[in-house]
Amino acid sequence: MVDGLRLGVGTLTAVPVPAPRRIDRGVAAVAMVLGPVAVVPLAAAAGLVVVGGAAVGLPALAVAALTLGVVALGSRGLHLDGLADTADGLGASYDRAKALDVMRRGDSGPTGVATLVFVLLVQVGALAGAISAGHGAAAAVAGVLAGRCTLSLACARGVPSARDEGLGATVAGSVPIPATVVVAAVAAALTTLAPGIAWWRGPLAIALGYLVVALLLIRCTRRLGGITGDVLGAGVETATATVLLTLAP
């Protein structure tokens, strides 16, 4: 459990923690299940930026951009990079090997850049809407945590790895289905308590976020043969955008 939490915090955030004593599939499963717990500091920082920005009278759009910038900085831009690489891979050749090679490169092509800009615009615009509606802090916290909740879905039993090495190979199929269900249920239940948001809107946001990630997993499994670390990042960012959009009104 301790090693799993260390792996989760060290992978998903820039918070310095001791390295895990060992890394195996059991530790990887714990890390993915505890992903939302690992990023609680990022969620808290996001909420504080929203509250602080509103307190000094900054425009909602500026506060939203600053909030998401802090989250990106606190996660080293890991998921944003994964989103761009996944988009490039899916938009590349239908040859699986070539698509995976494109994703392995460090640069971003036009498809990746366009996808990154689009998703960030949706996230910023949606969060700005929630801020204007008076529940921006709750939406920001929910978006950050819910995005990481979907990691357990992406790493659930039955989801293959696209490669034989790398982060994806370590975590793919490592999370038991019951654990995935529990994470989703807890997330849906907690969002009913979000201040300023109708009790039903939170669970709806979680359900839609999971649906978007499920569709992404189906697409990546068919095109790439499974998941990679980049696909995990793409899932986090698309789920976050979906949740923020649902909570915007």
Side-chain angles (χ1 to χ4, degrees):
M1 182 68 71
V2 173
D3 281 343
L5 185 58
R6 287 176 176 176
L7 179 62
V9 173
T11 302
L12 302 177
T13 77
V15 177
V17 293
R21 291 167 298 179
R22 64 186 178 89
I23 298 178
D24 54 27
R25 290 183 63 78
V27 172
V30 172
M32 296 299 99
V33 170
L34 295 183
V37 177
V39 299
V40 164
L42 292 186
L48 289 174
V49 172
V50 171
V51 172
V56 299
L58 292 178
L61 191 62
V63 175
L66 288 172
T67 300
L68 293 170
V70 167
V71 174
L73 183 64
S75 59
R76 306 186 193 90
L78 179 68
H79 308 308
L80 294 173
D81 178 68
L83 173 64
D85 287 345
T86 300
D88 278 333
L90 292 177
S93 168
Y94 277 97
D95 182 85
R96 173 178 173 272
K98 290 182 179 179
L100 289 173
D101 182 62
V102 168
M103 294 173 65
R104 194 190 297 271
R105 300 172 189 169
D107 56 344
S108 294
T111 304
V113 172
T115 301
L116 188 61
V117 171
F118 172 74
V119 172
L120 284 174
L121 282 174
V122 171
Q123 290 182 355
V124 171
L127 182 55
I131 293 171
S132 299
H135 54 264
V141 170
V144 172
L145 296 180
R148 280 68 181 178
C149 284
T150 61
L151 287 170
S152 59
L153 172 63
C155 299
R157 295 275 168 82
V159 180
S161 172
R163 298 191 182 101
D164 295 328
E165 76 287 342
L167 176 62
T170 303
V171 301
S174 65
V175 180
I177 298 296
T180 300
V181 174
V182 168
V183 171
V186 170
L190 290 178
T191 54
T192 63
L193 307 176
I197 300 175
W199 70 268
W200 55 269
R201 193 178 290 277
L204 175 62
I206 297 297
L208 291 177
Y210 269 74
L211 175 61
V212 168
V213 172
L215 293 175
L216 175 66
L217 292 175
I218 292 172
R219 176 62 173 163
C220 289
T221 300
R222 290 177 176 175
R223 281 281 284 108
L224 308 174
I227 66 166
T228 66
D230 288 329
V231 174
L232 298 181
V236 167
E237 293 298 339
T238 53
T240 299
T242 302
V243 170
L244 290 176
L245 196 59
T246 309
L247 300 180

